[in-house]
Amino acid sequence: MPLQTVEPRRLYRQIADQLRALIAGGEFAVGARLPAERDLSKQLGVSRPSVREALIALEVEGWVEVRTGSGVYVLDRSHRASEPVEGAEWGPLELIRARRVVEGETAALAATMGKRKDVDAMTRAIETMREMADRNVMPLEGDRAFHLAVVDACGNVVLSETVQGFWDSRKGPIFTRLGGYFETVKSWRSAIQEHEAIRDAIAARDADGARRAMHEHMDKSHQRFSASWRRAKVS
């Protein structure tokens, strides 16, 4: 297969560009199943998460269809209008890794600098998440409020705006589509428990514990989005 190794800069876009060119050139016919993520990862010399981000980008653009439990298939584009993904959009899994670095430290700072009102704001956010999950609604509103309450406890507007920008990036089409496969009320209930662990460490003024709890939360988020397609929701 005429694939080329790629440089480590916005990898998912480079991978998507190569796969798109191969599809357009007839390397993969309409209805054909693309190689598995692990095989594409090996041939391209990149991580499987980067391949997954690229495949989701191609699905958003209408080039392929992900069939859970089966694979990724080439679509007929003869009657489809192209809807390219914004080239500046961050890859969801790469974004989670960046958030792990930054928000691990904001959690530690919050444990050192936070006040009672900040912990109360985290608690209210968790309650909002739980109420929304109980109504079978994805508790994104409460999740955003929680992470902003943590960073706001640091008293640094640059950090607050950075974390807000990170979180709001999940509204992009790639993150939204990926979440549609792997985010469920059950997974969110697990995330709520992870948020409680972060809140408890901050309330106890345990900076190391807060950092660890945030790292664990981000690691588990990454694992949820990196799960086998066989574990994805069936639409």
Side-chain angles (χ1 to χ4, degrees):
M1 187 181 301
L3 293 172
Q4 304 171 12
T5 58
V6 296
E7 297 298 325
R9 53 180 177 80
R10 208 172 292 280
L11 285 174
Y12 85 91
R13 290 305 321 173
Q14 297 183 65
I15 298 165
D17 289 346
Q18 285 201 49
L19 293 175
R20 189 188 306 104
L22 290 173
I23 294 171
E27 183 71 24
F28 300 111
V30 171
R33 184 171 64 181
L34 295 183
E37 281 182 0
R38 64 180 178 275
D39 296 326
L40 289 172
S41 170
K42 184 176 180 180
Q43 293 179 64
L44 289 159
V46 298
S47 68
R48 288 180 66 175
S50 293
V51 171
R52 173 161 297 190
E53 291 168 344
L55 293 173
I56 291 295
L58 291 175
E59 185 179 40
V60 170
E61 293 176 348
W63 286 91
V64 301
E65 176 186 15
V66 175
R67 299 177 189 171
T68 54
S70 179
V72 181
Y73 294 81
V74 177
L75 293 176
D76 180 0
R77 288 184 52 82
S78 59
H79 303 294
R80 291 173 178 265
S82 179
E83 297 181 7
V85 171
E86 172 59 47
E89 183 175 350
W90 290 329
L93 296 166
E94 191 172 31
L95 174 60
I96 291 171
R97 285 305 190 200
R99 288 184 62 190
R100 183 187 192 276
V101 173
V102 174
E103 295 194 56
E105 294 311 306
T106 61
L109 279 173
T112 301
M113 303 176 63
K115 299 178 174 58
R116 183 73 245 176
K117 66 179 181 61
D118 299 308
V119 175
D120 290 344
M122 296 171 210
T123 298
R124 289 194 298 272
I126 291 171
E127 291 172 351
T128 298
M129 293 179 71
R130 187 174 291 108
E131 290 168 2
M132 295 180 75
D134 287 344
R135 292 187 281 113
N136 289 322
V137 176
M138 297 303 171
L140 296 174
E141 177 184 338
D143 182 55
R144 183 179 189 275
F146 177 86
H147 287 278
L148 293 187
V150 172
V151 71
D152 286 347
C154 301
N156 185 305
V157 68
V158 176
L159 285 174
S160 292
E161 291 181 0
T162 297
V163 170
Q164 179 174 324
F166 281 167
W167 199 97
D168 289 347
S169 291
R170 67 167 291 142
K171 297 177 183 177
I174 298 178
F175 209 128
T176 299
R177 182 65 62 94
L178 191 60
Y181 286 115
F182 294 101
E183 288 185 311
T184 63
V185 170
K186 181 180 179 180
S187 73
W188 273 107
R189 290 195 189 283
S190 296
I192 289 170
Q193 294 178 348
E194 294 158 22
H195 286 72
E196 288 175 329
I198 297 166
R199 187 271 319 274
D200 291 347
I202 291 172
R205 307 192 75 78
D206 179 359
D208 290 339
R211 183 186 293 108
R212 285 195 301 270
M214 183 65 80
H215 284 170
E216 182 175 357
H217 170 50
M218 292 299 170
D219 289 343
K220 289 184 176 180
S221 295
H222 195 278
Q223 290 169 10
R224 285 188 278 268
F225 283 115
S226 301
S228 167
W229 288 112
R230 292 184 177 86
R231 292 169 55 188
K233 293 184 292 186
V234 178
S235 56

